[in-house]
Amino acid sequence: LKFSNNFSALIKSKKCVICKEPIYVDLNGWDGGHNPWPVRKKGRCCSECNDTVVIPRRLYEAGFSGEKVKSLIKQGKGYKYE
């Protein structure tokens, strides 16, 4: 991966196994995406699918109610990463 002022240089050729969109390099430099289990058994997923599909599914499978999962996701949307 070569960095430049060109935005396309920040895109890896890896595709999300859930939405099929490119997996972008995180601000910390990580370009490996996220573990998509339990939604998919193989591959990697993008941050958007991790936050909106994978994490809610994990919470649900861990025993949280659908309403509790929605509440937790809603609370997290306002979180500012530092």
Side-chain angles (χ1 to χ4, degrees):
L1 178 66
K2 184 177 180 182
F3 289 96
S4 70
N5 290 335
N6 185 350
F7 181 72
S8 64
L10 296 177
I11 301 174
K12 292 290 286 183
S13 60
K14 296 176 188 171
K15 300 280 184 187
C16 173
V17 296
I18 298 170
C19 71
K20 309 300 186 218
E21 293 293 322
I23 294 176
Y24 294 92
V25 178
D26 287 343
L27 293 176
N28 65 8
W30 175 252
D31 64 353
H34 302 271
N35 180 348
W37 181 88
V39 179
R40 297 283 188 274
K41 292 181 180 179
K42 295 183 180 180
R44 305 300 286 173
C45 70
C46 67
S47 293
E48 179 74 17
C49 287
N50 186 61
D51 294 347
T52 62
V53 179
V54 176
I55 297 300
R57 175 79 175 269
R58 288 179 184 166
L59 291 170
Y60 183 77
E61 289 192 8
F64 287 87
S65 70
E67 288 303 314
K68 182 65 174 175
V69 171
K70 287 179 189 176
S71 172
L72 291 169
I73 298 302
K74 185 178 179 181
Q75 290 173 15
K77 288 186 187 264
Y79 182 76
K80 300 288 184 194
Y81 293 93
E82 297 178 8

